[in-house]
Amino acid sequence: MPKVTVDGQELDVPDGATVLQACELAGKEIPRFCYHERLSIAGNCRMCLVEVKPGPPKPQASCALPAAEGQQIRTDTPMVKKAREGVMEFLLINHPLDCPICDQGGECDLQDQSVAYGRGASRYHEHKRAVTSKNMGPLIKTIMTRCIHCTRCVRFSEEVAGVDEIGALYRGENMQITTYLEQAAKHELSANVIDLCPVGALTSRPYAYEARPWELKKTMSIDVSDAVGANIRIDSRGREVLRALPRINDDVNEEWISDKARYQVDGLTRRRLDKVWIRKAGKLQASSWNEAFELIAAAKPGKDIAAVAGDMVDCETMFAARKLLNALGSNLVESRQTGMNYDVSNLAAVNFNTGFAEIENADAVLIVGSHVRWEAALLNVRLRKAAKSGAKIFLVGPEWETTYPAEFIGADVSVLHDLPAHVAEAMSKAERPAVILGGAALAKGALHPALALAAEWNLVRDGWNGFNVLHFSAARMGSLMLGFAQKGGMADIAAAKPKVVLSLGADEMDLEPFADALKVYIGHHGDKGAHGAEIILPAAAFTEKSGTYVNTEGRVQLADKAVFAPGDAREDWTILRALADALGVSVGFDSFEQLRAQMIAEVPALGHEAVADYGALPKADMSVKASGAMSYPIKDFYMTNPIARASAVMQQCSAELLHGEALPEAAE
Amino acid sequence: MLSRGVCSLMAERAPAPDTPELRQRWGNFTWSTENAEQAKVVVARYPAGRQKSAVMPLLDLAQRQVGAETNTQGWLPLPVMEYVANYLDMPIIRVLEVATFYTMYNLAPVGRYHVQVCGTTPCMLRGSDDILDACYKRGMRKGHTTDDGLWTLTEVECMGNCATAPMVQINDDNYEDLTPERLNSVLDALAAGDTPKAGTQESGRHTSEPSGGPTTLKDMVKENHDYRGEW
């Protein structure tokens, strides 16, 4: 713990800290462009200059200078002020002063720091450099004349994403940031470079010229495009969500989000269900709430009613639906809409127990049946960190392109019963071994064989639980906590032959077995579920209601309402509450607060914004043998949910990045 | 307004366009038998797992092989860079970064002889403008290859031969102490397929020792003289 003095204030800093970090600990703001906490140190922008004694009598780049015992650091001397002004003047030499037409305006590091640390006026009268803008695909808009060569984007793609695609060509004044042959950036986290870019060189293409940051209402929310539960901020204006940005949460998403989480939001205004629809003579016709409720009541479901939850619903909606069904005497609730029927008697066995932050410390990982890059792009970042610090990673399942050294040991799940010797040895000898079971493995009955391996390898040990199930549906853990599961899965629901099936945004379910039932779709997008329904009740998307979500780690998180649902659409719980009246039963809540209080009373863990405790792992049923070739449920990363399928941006990404279609560029 | 075009040629450096013709011509590039051996030797110089360190010598080797195949100084078509990236198991963008950073790698085709005239201050003061003029008179243009494919002219910054300025670098050799006449005789010899003497072109001078003989430490010329007693 070196002791340093910052502007006369003595403090201890951790070993290995830099002078910049020491200054931050002392509460001093150090301007910077190239330095970023989560990237390697480049030291090329020179904005973080401070005066350090002992040392040469000149300002030093604090980001790249280790803090050492007895250093006297000054951030407030005339030398530092002059140095910052000088660096800023150099940075602005080639920077166009086009802030009025730049999308970064108002949230630009260069703009802010030139106001705070720069000279008032320019002394530069010569020509400015101009750089041709580069194509980086449908998500990233580039105006490379604005680039100040901090190389954050280069370091991000190399270090965090693990996809070396952005580079700095040429040198000195001629340096240019580009992808190879201006190909589109193709990985799932590519748009994070937009947040990293301290200037307006890389900006969001779909959001181009849409709004200024100061006109936007900012709402804290949770991403529902996968089960990671990334913390996001919804920026909205009026009734429209304009963009989603990551919030920092080191336990979940650090400060990244996947491209889908970021860009599916334009789907919130397309293909929306904004009025009640009823199928009459085979055709859906616009109708009224009363008529719809009367029709449902006329079906006299009694206890023959089932509810199927979709992948993006919040806990409150599911709880309200279950209350309604319980009041009618039914408990036919299920959330695993694709028909999976893994054992959920103990939730610890279907939870990501290690946690995202801890999985970085694993030293041997066996991934069974999960395309991690597509099912949980942010977990893949963590696995890459583990691999970089030496973890051995083995995968069972069809091959996909990993971003770290990893070995595929077979596509058939039966390999779990007969693991190659080197894999078994690496796992059993590891200090912090982890198994990650994906949806493809659960579908082939790999849960108990994996639990058997967990016992054999002693995955649960002091301070470490290495048994993980990785879901890809944002609603999954919440639904299981609320009992939205039958022993036999959807087959049990079908076998009960319900008269009425409530689909809570369930777009992936097979409607075939329910041909005779009255199918009521309560959701927000005109997708597969709505197409097969007799009655459509328009509901709210995740940005249009407050809700509780539980991610695959069992982490309970709250999302706020950002905008109002369009047209006649209502928040889901109010629809279910009104339906209870129509069916003549009482569900015991009249307000959202009452609903949430009841839910917390029944499942107390949902009341704490923390990781739920599911207890110890169950004993493995050794008689269960898994077999069969696995196939990943996600066929197209950009098209996994109704919002994304409605999103023009996601459609373009799917066509251009995954299916290689060359889309004509708009003529200028 | 000041012109910022001092190194304008470097700014124009851009990889030759990725065309079907380029792919067809160079897509099947592989090491020649000797170069395959040499590439192994180069890679073996670096610790295991650090084979990427060999990218610079291997790019040079590839450029020379392309040169041998096209009877030019050689250059680096994109498919060849991709081959090197593949050979070293590294991302192509990292190879392209290296190739575009160093001006010794030619990104576009050059002629048989790449005439690089130094125009930095010492050479300029010693007459590099005349050297350039001599080049122009032979039909060379900066950044272009002559029609006969013999010469490519580039103006470059300091090559570290200031003591024997002005100088040009032609492929692997430097020709120093130039006058237009001396340059012409060098170029004539090259054009005739001869190998002119590299280094200083001034008769009586060996390397970069003071012109007209040493002015200090004269006693050291013949034998190792101990000056210490004279200080």
Side-chain angles (χ1 to χ4, degrees), chain B residues 75-92:
Chain B
W75 63 294
L76 290 171
L78 288 171
V80 173
M81 289 193 234
E82 285 167 11
Y83 175 79
V84 171
N86 204 25
Y87 186 82
L88 295 175
D89 191 21
M90 65 192 283
I92 172 64

Side-chain angles (χ1 to χ4, degrees), chain B residues 17-153:
Chain B
D18 187 31
T19 58
E21 294 74 38
L22 188 83
R23 292 274 158 196
Q24 197 187 355
R25 174 66 185 84
W26 296 109
N28 296 323
F29 179 88
T30 49
W31 295 127
S32 64
T33 320
E34 314 86 75
N35 284 351
E37 286 301 310
Q38 180 62 19
K40 278 187 200 143
V41 171
V42 170
V43 171
R45 287 178 198 152
Y46 302 94
R50 304 277 175 148
Q51 79 281 8
K52 290 174 195 173
S53 305
V55 64
M56 289 177 61
L58 287 196
L59 280 177
D60 178 64
L61 197 63
Q63 175 161 303
R64 284 170 196 278
Q65 184 172 328
V66 170
E69 286 179 30
T70 55
N71 196 30
T72 62
Q73 192 203 16
W75 63 294
L76 290 171
L78 288 171
V80 173
M81 289 193 234
E82 285 167 11
Y83 175 79
V84 171
N86 204 25
Y87 186 82
L88 295 175
D89 191 21
M90 65 192 283
I92 172 64
I93 186 78
R94 298 280 100 86
V95 175
L96 190 63
E97 281 179 334
V98 171
T100 54
F101 187 91
Y102 295 99
T103 49
M104 288 79 106
Y105 299 119
N106 298 320
L107 301 179
V110 291
R112 175 81 195 87
Y113 297 106
H114 189 186
V115 181
Q116 305 188 66
V117 180
C118 174
T120 308
T121 317
C123 280
M124 192 190 76
L125 293 173
R126 295 278 293 154
S128 67
D129 288 353
D130 298 336
I131 302 299
L132 275 174
D133 281 339
C135 292
Y136 298 148
K137 279 197 188 120
R138 296 178 74 103
M140 299 183 208
R141 271 197 305 144
K142 275 191 208 171
H144 290 270
T145 304
T146 51
D147 292 339
D148 56 6
L150 209 51
W151 315 109
T152 301
L153 178 65

Side-chain angles (χ1 to χ4, degrees), chain A residues 180-479:
Chain A
Y180 183 59
L181 300 178
E182 298 197 29
Q183 288 159 349
K186 272 193 179 135
H187 58 88
E188 308 73 33
L189 298 167
S190 64
N192 285 299
V193 297
I194 296 168
D195 294 338
L196 284 174
C197 185
V199 298
L202 308 179
T203 54
S204 171
R205 192 185 283 275
Y207 173 73
Y209 308 128
E210 286 283 341
R212 284 301 196 185
W214 56 83
E215 357 171 77
L216 299 174
K217 187 181 113 189
K218 293 150 183 85
T219 312
M220 305 304 149
S221 186
I222 300 296
D223 171 48
V224 296
S225 66
D226 56 29
V228 173
N231 292 201
I232 55 172
R233 191 184 91 196
I234 300 288
D235 281 7
S236 56
R237 186 180 55 194
R239 300 188 74 153
E240 192 181 357
V241 172
L242 288 172
R243 61 175 178 176
L245 294 176
R247 279 189 285 144
I248 295 178
N249 185 339
D250 281 329
D251 291 329
V252 184
N253 56 318
E254 299 173 87
E255 60 180 284
W256 324 120
I257 52 172
S258 74
D259 289 355
K260 185 164 55 185
R262 189 184 298 262
Y263 285 119
Q264 66 173 5
V265 291
D266 77 312
L268 290 168
T269 53
R270 293 181 170 81
R271 292 194 201 161
R272 281 305 296 267
L273 301 171
D274 56 0
K275 41 180 169 289
V276 177
W277 297 85
I278 295 176
R279 193 176 298 278
K280 291 175 184 160
K283 282 190 95 169
L284 284 169
Q285 290 178 6
S287 183
S288 70
W289 287 100
N290 280 341
E291 195 180 346
F293 286 149
E294 278 163 20
L295 261 178
I296 299 169
K300 291 203 171 47
K303 63 179 177 41
D304 292 326
I305 182 167
V308 182
D311 289 344
M312 299 194 293
V313 291
D314 53 306
C315 291
E316 284 81 356
T317 301
M318 289 186 282
F319 180 76
R322 209 193 76 201
K323 278 307 234 189
L324 172 65
L325 263 64
N326 289 165
L328 288 163
S330 160
N331 198 29
L332 291 172
V333 287
E334 176 57 67
S335 60
R336 298 165 297 175
Q337 35 168 336
T338 51
M340 288 204 284
N341 57 1
Y342 48 85
D343 178 11
V344 293
S345 52
N346 181 334
L347 291 188
V350 291
N351 184 44
F352 200 95
N353 295 302
T354 311
F356 295 148
E358 272 298 301
I359 196 80
E360 286 176 16
N361 301 321
D363 53 0
V365 185
L366 175 66
I367 301 170
V368 187
S370 181
H371 187 324
V372 185
R373 268 182 82 171
W374 281 6
E375 293 174 19
L378 296 164
L379 174 64
N380 198 52
V381 170
R382 307 280 193 166
L383 289 172
R384 178 169 156 77
K385 280 197 211 171
K388 275 169 101 175
S389 45
K392 293 195 185 86
I393 297 186
F394 306 101
L395 297 105
V396 181
E399 294 198 12
W400 47 277
E401 204 181 321
T402 60
T403 57
Y404 34 81
E407 187 189 342
F408 283 89
I409 54 175
D412 196 297
V413 70
S414 59
V415 76
L416 286 186
H417 301 294
D418 182 23
L419 283 169
H422 70 285
V423 178
E425 193 193 325
M427 292 299 293
S428 55
K429 289 203 175 149
E431 275 180 38
R432 291 175 304 280
V435 168
I436 298 175
L437 214 54
L442 291 177
K444 294 288 173 199
L447 185 58
H448 279 280
L451 282 168
L453 288 175
E456 186 187 330
W457 293 331
N458 195 16
L459 288 186
V460 184
R461 50 186 81 179
D462 199 24
W464 179 261
N465 185 342
F467 186 80
N468 301 300
V469 168
L470 177 60
H471 299 291
F472 47 86
S473 146
R476 182 66 64 248
M477 283 314 290
S479 70

Side-chain angles (χ1 to χ4, degrees), chain A residues 94 124-129 154 158 164-171 173-174 178-181, chain B residues 1-2 4 7 10-11 13-15 18 23 78 82 91-94 96-97 100-101 103 107:
Chain A
N94 278 320
Y124 184 76
H125 298 290
E126 285 76 27
H127 287 301
K128 282 175 180 266
R129 179 193 66 136
V154 179
E158 179 180 345
D164 291 78
E165 51 178 20
I166 305 181
L169 305 191
Y170 312 105
R171 62 175 166 179
E173 175 176 57
N174 300 304
T178 183
T179 53
Y180 183 59
L181 300 178
Chain B
M1 293 255 181
L2 267 179
R4 308 181 82 205
C7 49
M10 217 174 82
R13 272 167 57 85
D18 187 31
R23 292 274 158 196
L78 288 171
E82 285 167 11
I92 172 64
I93 186 78
R94 298 280 100 86
L96 190 63
E97 281 179 334
T100 54
F101 187 91
T103 49
L107 301 179

Side-chain angles (χ1 to χ4, degrees), chain B residues 147-165:
Chain B
D147 292 339
D148 56 6
L150 209 51
W151 315 109
T152 301
L153 178 65
T154 316
E155 184 181 336
V156 295
E157 301 305 327
C158 186
M159 297 273 217
N161 286 268
C162 310
T164 49

